[in-house]
Amino acid sequence: MGRIWSRPEERELTVHVITGDRKRAGTDANVWLILYDEKGQATESFKLNRTLHNDHERGATCTFFFPSGVGFGQPMKAEFWRDSFGLGHNWFLERIVVEDKTHGSEHIFPVHRWVKPERHYIIYEYDCCLPQEDEHQEQRRTELKEYRKLYQYVQNIEDGPVQIKQLPDDEQFSEDYKWDIVKCKGRFILDTRLIRWTTDKWESICDLKKVYKFNLVVPNCLEYWNEDRWFGLQRVQGVNPVLIKLCKEIPEK
């Protein structure tokens, strides 16, 4: 009796598409995805839109069940694109996460980009690839040209650090993060006022410790601020350790 070989079964992958939490980050456009395994085998293009669902809204995670095809290996590369359908077709894609529940693995494709219409984007797993090993040099060159236009630098202070002329949208804090900053600021203002109301005037350096209460953590240097080593360290690096210069002589008082 001959051996009966079973045909490899087609398995289903779970794809999570995470839209960023930015202003106008969501889109009504149609989105497609192709996955590639370690052997270069590609899946069919899969439309990432569900019927009667408002997919890819700002800050949302949309989940799709993706047929991988027979004999497909582990996802190593993702190709995606969108059209310009709908009123809100700007789209900031945070990342794509592919779950392979059959093998118990998870594959993360970080994007962190504004996805332009009718342009194909190809992202490696963890977006980690040396420039000389990138198979998609044209995409890399195109993005570098765009980044050079986007990130323009200016030096407002003579001999000072170079600064960004205008902070791009991609680098700005999300709305949730901005709200966290506002809440932290309000909490620190309240704590500062409570400390002021409950703390006497300083009579010695030891009294300074009374300031650190509520949410203010005691800094480590408070215990050895008067040591010669610590004094010398502050003398050399100054307030801003980024702007270190060689001290050739002790300045006159």
Side-chain angles (χ1 to χ4, degrees):
M1 179 181 291
R3 178 177 294 179
I4 299 176
W5 294 94
S6 61
R7 183 183 178 186
E9 294 183 358
E10 178 180 2
R11 71 184 192 279
E12 190 175 61
L13 302 174
T14 304
V15 177
H16 306 285
V17 181
I18 297 92
T19 299
D21 179 25
R22 311 287 176 95
K23 284 186 178 180
R24 299 179 294 276
T27 183
D28 296 325
N30 298 301
V31 182
W32 290 268
L33 173 69
I34 298 176
L35 295 175
Y36 298 84
D37 65 8
E38 67 277 9
K39 297 179 182 179
Q41 179 179 341
T43 64
E44 295 183 0
S45 61
F46 182 77
K47 191 175 182 180
L48 299 178
N49 294 89
R50 298 170 295 179
T51 306
L52 301 179
H53 283 78
N54 194 9
D55 294 315
H56 312 305
E57 290 299 294
R58 168 184 159 186
T61 298
C62 299
T63 301
F64 305 89
F65 299 100
F66 192 101
S68 65
V70 177
F72 187 79
Q74 294 296 311
M76 302 296 291
K77 188 169 63 175
E79 178 181 359
F80 56 90
W81 66 97
R82 69 174 181 86
D83 60 17
S84 55
F85 175 79
L87 297 176
H89 60 267
N90 290 321
W91 188 32
F92 186 87
L93 179 56
E94 192 76 27
R95 64 187 181 277
I96 297 173
V97 179
V98 180
E99 281 188 86
D100 185 353
K101 295 183 178 179
T102 303
H103 296 93
S105 60
E106 183 180 79
H107 307 269
I108 301 175
F109 300 91
V111 182
H112 306 295
R113 291 172 174 86
W114 289 97
V115 179
K116 297 184 178 181
E118 312 302 343
R119 178 190 289 187
H120 286 239
Y121 294 80
I122 298 176
I123 303 295
Y124 295 91
E125 186 176 15
Y126 304 117
D127 196 22
C128 183
C129 177
L130 294 174
Q132 63 270 25
E133 297 177 359
D134 193 346
E135 299 176 0
H136 308 281
Q137 294 291 331
E138 186 59 35
Q139 174 180 284
R140 181 179 288 271
R141 282 193 290 268
T142 300
E143 290 188 341
L144 284 175
K145 288 180 181 178
E146 292 175 349
Y147 287 150
R148 289 191 184 101
K149 294 179 181 178
L150 192 62
Y151 291 86
Q152 296 185 12
Y153 297 97
V154 63
Q155 192 172 25
N156 294 319
I157 304 174
E158 186 177 357
D159 297 328
V162 176
Q163 298 171 299
I164 193 74
K165 191 173 183 179
Q166 184 176 1
L167 190 65
D169 291 339
D170 290 9
E171 301 294 343
Q172 295 186 18
F173 291 132
S174 67
E175 293 299 315
D176 286 346
Y177 200 88
K178 287 180 180 178
W179 178 239
D180 286 341
I181 294 175
V182 172
K183 289 191 294 184
C184 288
K185 179 182 177 182
R187 186 172 65 249
F188 282 126
I189 291 175
L190 179 60
D191 289 344
T192 302
R193 290 181 179 177
L194 289 173
I195 291 170
R196 189 179 301 167
W197 294 335
T198 58
T199 304
D200 297 329
K201 291 184 177 180
W202 303 344
E203 299 294 339
S204 65
I205 294 296
C206 293
D207 291 340
L208 184 60
K209 294 182 179 180
K210 299 177 182 179
V211 173
Y212 295 98
K213 47 188 168 182
F214 304 114
N215 288 321
L216 294 180
V217 181
V218 179
N220 294 329
C221 63
L222 197 62
E223 299 299 328
Y224 47 83
W225 65 271
N226 56 346
E227 295 180 3
D228 291 341
R229 178 180 173 276
W230 181 250
F231 179 81
L233 181 64
Q234 294 182 86
R235 180 70 176 178
V236 172
Q237 72 180 21
V239 178
N240 186 356
V242 177
L243 300 177
I244 296 178
K245 291 185 178 180
L246 176 63
C247 181
K248 298 181 179 180
E249 59 181 1
I250 301 297
E252 296 181 1
K253 293 184 179 180

